[in-house]
């Protein structure tokens, strides 16, 4: 048993009738890492989490957490994992303090041990001022902090977070990630699903699932160096200019430009090495677009996922036919 | 750590707070049963008094007026009007303005004094069978009594030849609340507790908190018992309230031990709550839970002997009654409250109720999957 892998799954598959929600997914998550699990809605992210938590029976394949099998050793697994679901499953009629007490007791904590752990998490999450407030009256950010505190009371080895930042404000989102890094530094393994690319960039490892299949998995920097993402003889450019949407239309029709998208005030291009900055500047100048700034950049994770998903499309069409 | 009831304390803690903080659920657990109890208790009163009687007296003598008084003195009838023709009588009866009509023909006194049979006619509205029966029996009794008195005077005897001395035990006044109210308690308790426990687990499923419980080491037994206990307490408090209403509002004397009543209620409510939990392991949402509970409650209203005596039912319905906990509870309650019976004398009922509870509880715990579908 490799000791450095906290989560291992091999050919993990889940079918609901004729629908395959998760199709032969295999990956490993190293102890102490932050694993970002990405994919569009309905791609199978939550289904994978539920199978790993032992509450959904896989149709095929195996999964292990800390060496325990998710289908046969669910009791062992349940006491070492924490789970924070999409909806922050709190009891609205209980106060913050009571929610913490309930979840602590649920995991067998009582007396001094419970008090100590509860105080510690109240301190970490700064939720002290709201202890007597009902969970129903908390804002999204505080609800999510409370949910997180509740899922950490029993010192889990692995914490699963299913879209923890969906629908909360940017400040709360930033603070949540600060907390996650803190727990990670203490040796906890984190498994996070998200829609946000900037969150994915913060993870030590990422996996991308699309149409029930795991498309890619690895460290963000390694993924950005994949040959499929950086076709030979091409480079990526960031072009800042005025009238960026108008500029996009012009640039798209240039020879050697493979793809172009707008990012706020700038556009990102994938172009052949042969295309030089001057060509772009001249073309834009003809349309009275000046103040053009061009920089060469490395691909973002979004570029990685977009490229890999696009590469899959012909395959899918073949399957359909 | 690996006790079969792990997590029980946590669920109990949360459920108690949850129940106390949810005034709507508490209100709907307590208020309708109280109203139902009072409404049922009054509505099911079979004792018929003061039925309206119209009199068509064609004779108009002292004797005819005495006859009318005898009818009124029974308490069953109350003279509400006078009719002046047979058509009048028919119209009033058809319109439902009177339950019965007494027609005294013009030759009533004459025939009476001549020693011949004097005829009177009593018309009874038979559209409602129970009052009709009561009216029939009363009018027969009144006239029979008068005949007997007349015969005694003529024969010179001072005593009636045969005298029956019936003694009605346990409910000497034959008050119908004494019969109905213990049954009402059984039905009303069932409505409140079955719904409450059927909803509780389904609500967790709907709110998504069930998933959170499933990933924890909480055991199925711990969860089920933790869910059941607060409602058991509420059920017993409610039963106490219902007993008080029965005794002080409906004036039903309690012949047996109050402790035995609570013991019987405990095993009965346990069976009902387990039945509710079984529903909630099946139902996907509160709507389904409601409908399923309703389907379980209705038969007990009809077949438990709560209103209609089971002895008079066709055999199939009589048999169905054996599969309903309420049947055993109502039998037990009537025995304790009215006849002062002990639990030992009705041990079969107690054992059957315990068996219902244990089997339903185990079924619901085992049926509850610690995995998602």
């Amino acid at each position: 048993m490799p000791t450095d892998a906290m989560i291992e799954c091999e050919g993990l598959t889940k079918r609901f009738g004729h629908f395959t929600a998760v199709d032969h997914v295999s990956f490993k998550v190293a102890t102490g890492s932050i694993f970002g699990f990405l994919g569009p809605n309905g791609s199978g992210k939550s289904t994978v989490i539920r199978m790993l938590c032992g509450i959904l029976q896989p149709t095929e394949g195996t999964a292990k957490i800390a060496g325990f099998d998710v289908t046969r050793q669910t009791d062992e697994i349940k006491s070492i994992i924490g789970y924070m679901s999409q909806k922050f499953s709190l009891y609205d009629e209980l106060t913050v303090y009571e929610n913490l007490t309930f979840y602590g007791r649920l995991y067998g904590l009582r007396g001094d041990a419970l008090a100590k752990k509860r105080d510690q998490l109240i301190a970490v999450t700064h939720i002290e001022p709201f202890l007597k407030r009902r969970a129903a009256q908390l804002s999204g950010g505080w609800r999510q902090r409370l949910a997180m505190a509740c899922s950490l009371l029993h010192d889990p080895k692995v914490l699963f977070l299913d879209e923890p930042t969906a629908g909360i404000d940017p400040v709360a989102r930033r603070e949540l990630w600060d907390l996650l890094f803190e727990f990670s530094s203490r040796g906890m393994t984190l498994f996070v699903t998200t829609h946000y690319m900037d969150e994915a960039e913060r993870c030590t490892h990422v996996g991308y699932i699309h149409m029930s299949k795991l498309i890619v998995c690895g460290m963000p920097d390694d993924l950005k160096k994949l040959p499929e993402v950086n076709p030979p003889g091409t480079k990526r450019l960031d072009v800042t200019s005025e009238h960026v949407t108008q500029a996009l239309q012009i640039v798209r029709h240039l020879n050697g430009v493979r793809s172009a998208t707008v990012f706020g005030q700038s556009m990102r291009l994938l172009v052949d090495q042969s295309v030089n900055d001057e060509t772009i500047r001249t073309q834009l100048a003809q349309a009275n677009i000046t103040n053009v700034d061009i920089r060469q950049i490395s691909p973002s994770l979004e570029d990685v996922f977009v490229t890999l998903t696009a590469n899959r499309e012909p395959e899918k069409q073949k399957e359909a036919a | 750590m690996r006790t079969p009831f792990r997590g029980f304390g946590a669920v109990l803690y949360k459920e108690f707070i949850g129940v106390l903080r949810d005034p709507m659920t508490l209100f709907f657990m307590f208020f309708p049963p109280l109203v139902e109890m009072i409404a049922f208790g009054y509505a099911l009163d079979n004792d018929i008094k003061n039925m309206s009687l119209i009199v068509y007296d064609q004779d108009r003598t002292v004797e005819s007026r005495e006859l009318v008084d005898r009818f009124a003195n029974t308490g069953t009838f109350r003279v509400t009007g006078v009719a002046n023709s047979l058509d009048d009588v028919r119209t009033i009866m058809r319109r439902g303005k009177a339950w019965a009509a007494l027609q005294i023909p013009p030759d009533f006194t004459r025939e009476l004094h001549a020693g011949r049979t004097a005829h009177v006619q009593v018309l009874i509205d038979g559209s409602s069978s129970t009052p009709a029966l009561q009216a029939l029996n009363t009018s027969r009794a009144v006239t029979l009594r008068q005949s007997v008195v007349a015969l005694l005077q003529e024969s010179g005897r001072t005593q009636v030849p045969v005298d029956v001395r019936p003694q009605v035990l346990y409910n000497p006044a034959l008050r119908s609340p004494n019969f109905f109210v213990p049954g009402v308690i059984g039905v009303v308790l069932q409505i409140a507790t079955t719904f409450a426990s059927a909803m509780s687990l389904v609500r967790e499923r709907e709110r998504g908190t069930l998933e959170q419980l499933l990933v924890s080491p909480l055991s199925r037994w711990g969860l089920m018992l933790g869910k059941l206990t607060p409602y058991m307490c509420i059920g017993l408090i409610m039963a106490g309230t219902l007993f008080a209403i029965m005794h002080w509002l409906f004036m039903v004397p309690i012949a047996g031990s109050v402790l035995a009543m609570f013991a019987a209620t405990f095993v009965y409510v346990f069976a009902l709550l387990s039945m509710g939990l079984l529903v909630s392991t099946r139902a996907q949402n509160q709507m389904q839970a409601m409908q399923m509970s309703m389907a379980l409650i209705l038969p007990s209203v009809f077949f438990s002997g709560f209103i209609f005596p089971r002895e008079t039912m066709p055999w199939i319905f009589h048999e169905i009654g054996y599969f309903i906990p309420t049947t055993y509870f109502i039998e037990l309650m009537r025995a304790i409250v009215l006849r002062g019976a002990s639990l030992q004398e009705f041990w079969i009922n107690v054992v059957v109720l315990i068996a219902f509870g244990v089997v339903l509880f185990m079924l619901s715990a085992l049926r509850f999957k610690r995995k998602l579908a």
Side-chain angles (χ1 to χ4, degrees):
Chain A
M1 186 185 93
T3 46
D4 60 333
M6 182 56 82
I7 305 172
E8 289 176 86
C9 53
E10 191 59 54
L12 200 60
T13 301
K14 180 68 192 180
R15 290 191 200 94
F16 296 105
H18 292 293
F19 173 69
T20 307
V22 174
D23 193 359
H24 295 90
V25 166
S26 308
F27 61 87
K28 283 183 186 178
V29 176
T31 305
S33 58
I34 303 181
F35 186 83
F37 200 43
L38 285 93
N41 280 343
S43 55
K45 296 192 298 283
S46 298
T47 310
V48 168
I49 287 200
R50 286 175 179 156
M51 284 193 281
L52 292 178
C53 291
I55 54 172
L56 198 62
Q57 187 80 28
T59 316
E60 257 178 59
T62 58
K64 282 180 182 174
I65 293 182
F68 295 119
D69 189 289
V70 295
T71 53
R72 283 177 286 113
Q73 293 166 298
T74 44
D75 281 344
E76 284 85 349
I77 286 177
K78 282 176 180 181
S79 46
I80 58 163
I81 60 164
Y83 172 51
M84 189 174 140
S85 68
Q86 276 174 3
K87 284 176 284 181
F88 313 145
S89 305
L90 298 164
Y91 288 94
D92 282 348
E93 69 275 19
L94 302 192
T95 63
V96 169
Y97 182 87
E98 288 160 349
N99 265 294
L100 287 167
T101 307
F102 167 66
Y103 279 108
R105 284 197 187 178
L106 196 58
Y107 284 88
L109 290 175
R110 50 188 66 241
D112 289 344
L114 173 62
K116 202 177 143 203
K117 203 63 216 170
R118 192 172 48 208
D119 290 346
Q120 185 192 331
L121 283 160
I122 289 170
V124 171
T125 52
H126 306 289
I127 207 161
E128 177 93 52
F130 305 109
L131 284 182
K132 285 185 178 156
R133 195 178 280 196
R134 303 261 172 97
Q137 290 148 5
L138 291 177
S139 69
W142 285 108
R143 275 181 77 80
Q144 164 247 44
R145 273 160 178 258
L146 174 59
M148 189 152 159
C150 288
S151 56
L152 288 171
L153 279 155
H154 59 293
D155 273 325
K157 289 188 174 153
V158 187
L159 179 61
F160 290 95
L161 300 107
D162 199 356
E163 300 197 5
T165 53
I168 64 169
D169 67 81
V171 178
R173 201 152 75 88
R174 172 77 55 89
E175 285 169 349
L176 176 92
W177 275 94
D178 291 345
L179 278 176
L180 291 183
F181 283 120
E182 198 178 322
F183 292 121
S184 172
S185 68
R186 295 181 195 173
M188 190 182 288
T189 308
L190 299 167
F191 189 101
V192 188
T193 70
T194 180
H195 278 303
Y196 298 104
M197 288 301 158
D198 62 313
E199 291 184 355
E201 301 272 3
R202 288 161 172 259
C203 296
T204 58
H205 296 74
V206 290
Y208 185 74
I209 189 167
H210 181 73
M211 304 287 283
S212 317
K213 285 185 174 139
L214 189 69
I215 296 200
V216 73
C217 185
M219 299 214 248
D221 287 343
D222 291 348
L223 298 185
K224 288 172 190 171
K225 288 175 192 146
L226 285 175
E228 291 148 288
V229 182
N230 305 289
T234 63
K235 60 183 178 186
R236 285 182 191 269
L237 299 178
D238 178 275
V239 181
T240 314
S241 71
E242 312 166 308
H243 311 296
V244 72
T245 40
Q246 202 189 332
L248 182 75
Q249 297 307 318
I250 296 162
V251 172
R252 273 197 175 153
H253 294 103
L254 286 179
N255 272 337
V257 174
R258 296 196 181 188
S259 77
T261 43
V262 169
F263 263 84
Q265 293 295 304
S266 67
M267 14 177 213
R268 301 212 176 143
L269 314 179
L270 178 65
V271 297
D272 289 340
Q273 286 289 1
S274 58
V275 177
N276 65 40
D277 296 1
E278 277 320 301
T279 333
I280 296 171
R281 281 183 208 281
T282 347
Q283 287 295 326
L284 291 179
Q286 282 176 9
N288 282 330
I289 298 171
T290 49
N291 287 335
V292 179
D293 182 32
I294 301 176
R295 284 180 301 128
Q296 190 163 343
I297 52 166
S298 58
S300 67
L301 266 184
E302 180 164 321
D303 294 326
V304 174
F305 296 142
V306 167
T307 313
L308 293 176
T309 312
N311 290 353
R312 283 267 166 157
E313 292 299 312
E315 249 177 70
K316 219 172 59 196
Q317 280 159 12
K318 229 184 330 179
E319 267 173 39
Chain B
M1 268 307 287
R2 291 270 172 268
T3 63
F5 289 105
R6 63 182 180 276
F8 167 65
V11 176
L12 195 62
Y13 168 82
K14 156 186 110 57
E15 286 294 317
F16 262 114
I17 297 177
V19 164
L20 295 178
R21 293 247 171 95
D22 184 0
M24 280 300 265
T25 301
L26 270 187
F27 177 80
F28 279 110
M29 265 194 95
F30 266 96
F31 186 69
L34 294 185
V35 173
E36 283 157 20
M37 168 89 173
I38 292 169
F40 268 137
Y42 279 119
L44 288 178
D45 196 334
N46 259 354
D47 299 343
I48 292 139
K49 293 187 195 82
N50 299 327
M51 294 170 78
S52 51
L53 174 80
I54 50 165
V55 176
Y56 176 33
D57 187 354
Q58 293 170 286
D59 202 24
R60 294 174 187 277
T61 59
V62 177
E63 285 80 358
S64 72
R65 243 166 277 140
E66 272 173 9
L67 182 69
V68 173
D69 286 346
R70 282 193 197 100
F71 269 83
N73 287 341
T74 56
T76 306
F77 295 111
R78 173 171 51 104
V79 179
T80 53
V82 173
N84 296 317
S85 69
L86 262 180
D87 277 345
D88 223 11
V89 170
R90 286 201 194 92
T91 313
I92 292 171
M93 294 286 284
R94 195 175 54 245
R95 289 185 181 160
K97 301 286 186 201
W99 280 103
L102 174 65
Q103 188 205 344
I104 305 172
D107 58 352
F108 175 75
T109 314
R110 199 178 342 124
E111 296 289 300
L112 202 64
H113 290 311
R116 286 190 294 269
T117 307
H119 296 275
V120 289
Q121 174 146 303
V122 178
L123 299 167
I124 297 168
D125 178 357
S127 50
S128 185
S129 60
T130 315
L133 210 60
Q134 174 101 12
L136 189 64
N137 288 336
T138 311
S139 49
R140 276 204 179 123
V142 168
T143 48
L144 196 64
R145 194 178 153 75
Q146 201 183 345
S147 303
V148 169
V149 171
L151 285 172
L152 278 176
Q153 281 167 355
E154 281 165 29
S155 68
R157 288 179 66 152
T158 51
Q159 299 291 320
V160 282
V162 182
D163 186 20
V164 190
R165 289 271 165 86
Q167 191 186 355
V168 179
L169 297 175
Y170 313 125
N171 183 9
L174 286 176
R175 292 181 66 234
S176 55
N178 293 17
F179 172 74
F180 283 125
V181 174
V184 173
I185 291 178
V187 170
V188 159
L189 272 179
Q190 175 171 30
I191 294 171
T193 52
T194 312
F195 275 125
S197 67
M199 292 296 168
S200 70
L201 208 58
V202 176
R203 208 156 39 211
E204 299 241 10
R205 202 189 300 273
E206 281 188 349
R207 292 198 302 191
T209 46
L210 192 65
E211 201 173 326
Q212 202 68 46
L213 296 180
L214 291 177
V215 297
S216 80
L218 170 66
S219 76
R220 58 180 85 205
W221 303 101
L223 173 65
M224 290 299 176
L225 208 60
K227 284 265 167 206
L228 192 143
T229 310
Y231 292 114
M232 173 59 88
C233 296
I234 293 177
L236 289 175
I237 293 171
M238 197 153 77
T241 317
L242 296 178
F243 293 158
I245 293 177
M246 170 178 83
H247 188 60
W248 283 297
L249 185 65
F250 293 111
M251 300 298 177
V252 177
I254 296 172
S257 127
V258 175
L259 200 67
M261 283 159 64
F262 274 104
T265 308
F266 181 84
V267 290
Y268 175 55
V269 172
F270 179 67
L272 297 178
L273 290 173
S274 302
M275 191 151 76
L277 285 179
L278 190 61
V279 165
S280 70
T281 60
R282 201 59 218 241
Q284 289 301 314
N285 52 52
Q286 298 198 37
M287 191 65 187
Q288 281 182 14
M290 285 265 260
Q291 289 166 339
M292 283 154 101
S293 310
M294 208 56 217
L296 286 174
I297 289 168
L298 273 182
S300 71
V301 175
F302 294 118
F303 307 129
S304 66
F306 149 61
I307 303 175
F308 318 109
R310 290 179 64 225
E311 289 66 27
T312 60
M313 289 178 187
W315 71 270
I316 176 89
F317 298 128
H318 185 263
E319 297 301 302
I320 289 174
Y322 285 121
F323 297 95
I324 300 170
T326 313
T327 308
Y328 299 90
F329 178 72
I330 290 180
E331 221 173 74
L332 199 51
M333 280 318 267
R334 282 182 184 149
I336 298 171
V337 173
L338 300 179
R339 301 199 294 273
S342 66
L343 287 180
Q344 285 90 332
E345 287 168 299
F346 277 79
W347 65 272
I348 293 182
N349 292 53
V350 179
V351 168
V352 170
L353 284 176
I354 292 174
F356 263 117
V358 170
V359 169
L360 288 171
F361 182 76
M362 303 231 317
L363 268 180
S364 61
L366 293 174
R367 268 200 51 89
F368 175 72
K369 293 196 180 62
R370 284 172 71 202
K371 289 190 190 298
L372 298 168

